[in-house]
């Protein structure tokens, strides 16, 4: 099993823990290998939290010694299970543009892996078309997948150059913009957010059709990136039937 893990690991996405594996399976990811040192505990967790998956996990889980996961992973998840999935499988492909009925979230050069994962998680939950990132961070980095709880497989997730974004009006979020509350976000929008440190890049600011602000109390400078995405997506959802 260890040899098979090592063979697959280089080209696969690490699903670190029960919740990541659960979401990946629910949203159709190809999962060639899942390891645990305690099958009974993982199956009991499934019975409790995801009974829809108990039979599939029973067939998928491969037992290993207690020392195996700590040797394979830098920080094994407390739920005691790890799996490998095929990157881009399941629901992580882009919807054809003609069929798109929800906005994309665009993260302009995000830096914090936990933030990117939290954004993917909320985008998947809200039914956004996907999350596109510019800049140097891989949105499929294992720590991003860990933070998204495996919801990479429930929405399109990809890196894009700033000039390769899908068509659609760009609504860029910035504390200096116009109050978002007076405006409805259309389903074909690209909703863009700046980086944690520097905000929107000049390129995205120039490309923006609208600059929108989330209301804040005076003297507060900005919200956290993932929080801003959650508030904006909620605003989009609240304006829909
Ligand atoms: C942590 S903030 C960046 C703060 C950065 N120091 C700046 O100068 O903009 C990350 C991103 O979240 C969004 N954001 C945060 N607070 C916001 C607000 N009140 N209104 C609109 N967007 C906001 C923006 O897209 C921003 O670029």
């Amino acid at each position: 099993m260890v040899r098979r893990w090592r063979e697959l690991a280089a080209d696969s996405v690490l699903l670190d823990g029960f919740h990541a594996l659960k979401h990946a399976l629910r949203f159709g990811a190809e999962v060639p290998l899942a390891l645990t040192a305690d099958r009974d505990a993982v199956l009991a967790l499934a019975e409790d939290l995801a009974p829809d998956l108990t039979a599939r996990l029973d067939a998928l889980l491969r037992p290993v010694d207690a020392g195996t996961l700590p040797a394979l992973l830098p920080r094994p998840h407390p739920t005691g299970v790890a799996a490998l999935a095929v990157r881009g499988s399941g629901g992580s492909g882009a919807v054809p543009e003609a069929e798109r009925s929800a906005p994309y979230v665009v993260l302009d050069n995000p830096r914090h892996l936990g933030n990117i994962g939290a954004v993917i998680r909320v985008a998947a939950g809200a039914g956004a078309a996907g999350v596109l990132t510019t800049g140097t961070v891989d949105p499929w980095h294992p720590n991003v997948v860990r933070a998204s709880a495996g919801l990479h497989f429930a929405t399109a997730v990809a890196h894009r150059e700033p000039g390769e974004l899908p068509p659609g009006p760009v609504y860029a979020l910035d504390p200096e913009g116009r109050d978002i509350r007076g405006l409805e976000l259309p389903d074909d929008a690209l909703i863009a957010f700046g980086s944690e440190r520097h905000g929107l890049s000049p390129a995205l600011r120039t490309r923006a059709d609208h600059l929108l602000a989330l209301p804040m109390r005076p003297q507060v400078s900005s919200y956290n990136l993932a929080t801003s995405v959650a508030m904006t997506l909620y605003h989009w959802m609240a304006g829909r039937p």
Side-chain angles (χ1 to χ4, degrees):
M1 283 308 146
V2 171
R3 197 155 58 126
R4 175 130 175 81
W5 179 279
R6 291 210 165 106
E7 281 165 8
L8 291 170
D11 295 327
S12 301
V13 175
L14 173 64
L15 299 171
D16 198 8
F18 182 81
H19 302 290
L21 176 57
K22 171 189 75 180
H23 281 138
L25 290 174
R26 280 195 181 143
F27 288 98
E30 283 172 52
V31 180
L33 189 58
L35 304 181
T36 179
D38 192 345
R39 270 176 63 85
D40 290 347
V42 177
L43 291 175
L45 204 55
E47 205 48 57
D48 199 23
L49 300 177
D52 52 311
L53 296 175
T54 311
R56 286 182 69 190
L57 285 167
D58 194 15
L60 182 65
L61 288 170
R62 296 283 170 267
V64 288
D65 295 335
T68 301
L69 288 185
L72 291 173
L73 304 168
R75 204 163 45 110
H77 194 271
T79 50
V81 59
L84 294 173
V86 176
R87 181 174 170 141
S89 62
S92 54
V95 190
E97 202 44 41
E99 292 166 30
R100 179 159 76 89
S101 59
Y104 273 108
V105 172
V106 177
L107 300 183
D108 188 16
N109 194 20
R111 311 306 306 162
H112 188 279
L113 302 173
N115 257 344
I116 306 171
V119 167
I120 291 167
R121 188 171 183 168
V122 75
V131 177
L132 305 173
T133 63
T134 69
T136 52
V137 172
D138 177 9
W140 285 83
H141 186 286
N143 293 358
V144 180
V145 179
R146 186 176 179 133
S148 83
L151 284 164
H152 277 66
F153 295 96
T155 192
V157 176
H159 175 268
R160 287 275 183 282
E161 295 303 329
E164 292 176 345
L165 294 174
V170 176
Y171 289 75
L173 273 287
D174 185 272
E176 301 295 315
R178 160 184 161 204
D179 192 326
I180 194 171
R181 287 174 295 183
L183 185 133
E184 217 170 277
L185 289 168
D187 294 344
D188 64 344
L190 308 181
I191 312 177
F193 298 83
S195 79
E196 295 88 339
R197 192 81 176 271
H198 301 295
L200 290 166
S201 65
L204 238 144
R205 211 175 265 278
T206 307
R207 169 92 200 267
D209 299 292
H210 306 269
L211 214 56
L212 301 179
L214 297 160
M216 289 185 301
R217 261 173 78 176
Q219 298 183 323
V220 176
S221 320
S222 67
Y223 293 114
N224 158 274
L225 172 59
T227 306
S228 305
V229 175
M231 292 170 79
T232 307
L233 285 177
Y234 181 77
H235 180 77
W236 166 67
M237 291 168 90
R240 304 186 96 213

